[in-house]
Amino acid sequence: MTEKFLLYGGAIQMAGQVRAKGEARRTRSDFAKMEQDRGISVSASAMSFDFDGHRFNLVDTPGHSDFSEDTYRTLTAVDAAIMVIDGAKGVESQTRKLFEVCRLRDLPILTFCNKMDRESRDTFEIIDEIQENLAIDVAPASWPIGVGRSSSAAMTCWATGWS
């Protein structure tokens, strides 16, 4: 997801080259061997880019529970958060904990449900789980067509928040 933001924001020109701009040009997201081997972030990394007249400072944090302390610290320095829900697993315990930190800080949250191009749960079931477990309203911004191999999209987006 980090790479897509940077690619579509113009900070990188080709997928597979997640880099920061300017003096931090050598900085990469998921550069450590463990991160590459496991396909996860194990430490926070910050990258900046300009898009449509606005400056974005993107902070990629670990989603894995083994590295959650880094994520908790990072949430004290951001203006909004993106929550990624696995289409097969739904709301996991780590997601609940991180969401509570966001709620305490009154951070707006945009939710993406990924892995919809794999065998996943019913979209309505996932939305219901988010609303029930996190006590928030969900407003779909996009919708997957199909599930698994018959799906037309790998990811769908929902705007979420709390009342």
Side-chain angles (χ1 to χ4, degrees), residues 15-30:
Q17 294 183 334
V18 177
R19 295 183 182 181
K21 290 180 76 174
E23 292 298 314
R25 191 172 306 261
R26 293 181 188 88
T27 303
R28 290 182 176 260
S29 173
D30 295 345

Side-chain angles (χ1 to χ4, degrees), residues 85-90 113-116 119-121 126 129:
I85 304 289
D86 184 298
K89 296 177 183 175
C113 187
N114 70 348
K115 302 180 184 175
M116 298 303 286
E119 291 308 313
S120 60
R121 295 171 40 203
I126 297 169
E129 183 179 359

Side-chain angles (χ1 to χ4, degrees), residues 35-47:
E35 292 174 311
Q36 293 169 355
D37 291 345
R38 293 178 67 179
I40 60 172
S41 297
V42 299
S43 63
S45 58
M47 294 145 281

Side-chain angles (χ1 to χ4, degrees), residues 40-41 61-65 67 71 94 98:
I40 60 172
S41 297
T61 61
H64 196 277
S65 60
F67 310 102
T71 303
Q94 186 63 19
L98 292 170

Side-chain angles (χ1 to χ4, degrees), residues 24-152:
R25 191 172 306 261
R26 293 181 188 88
T27 303
R28 290 182 176 260
S29 173
D30 295 345
F31 59 88
K33 179 146 177 54
M34 181 191 302
E35 292 174 311
Q36 293 169 355
D37 291 345
R38 293 178 67 179
I40 60 172
S41 297
V42 299
S43 63
S45 58
M47 294 145 281
S48 297
F49 64 95
D50 296 313
F51 181 76
D52 199 24
H54 300 282
R55 180 72 157 173
F56 287 84
N57 296 307
L58 180 64
V59 182
D60 185 12
T61 61
H64 196 277
S65 60
D66 291 348
F67 310 102
S68 60
E69 287 304 316
D70 204 17
T71 303
Y72 295 140
R73 282 190 299 276
T74 302
L75 287 174
T76 64
V78 299
D79 298 320
I82 296 173
M83 178 170 58
V84 180
I85 304 289
D86 184 298
K89 296 177 183 175
V91 178
E92 298 177 78
S93 62
Q94 186 63 19
T95 304
R96 285 184 198 92
K97 293 175 191 173
L98 292 170
F99 182 80
E100 286 307 316
V101 173
C102 291
R103 178 174 274 162
L104 290 171
R105 295 206 12 86
D106 201 26
L107 290 174
I109 295 178
L110 184 66
T111 302
F112 284 90
C113 187
N114 70 348
K115 302 180 184 175
M116 298 303 286
D117 57 338
R118 302 177 189 172
E119 291 308 313
S120 60
R121 295 171 40 203
D122 177 70
T123 306
F124 287 109
E125 186 181 321
I126 297 169
I127 290 174
D128 287 345
E129 183 179 359
I130 292 170
Q131 290 185 145
E132 290 171 18
N133 284 302
L134 303 178
I136 57 175
D137 295 324
V138 176
S142 65
W143 199 262
I145 299 174
V147 173
R149 292 179 188 236
S150 67
S151 177
S152 66

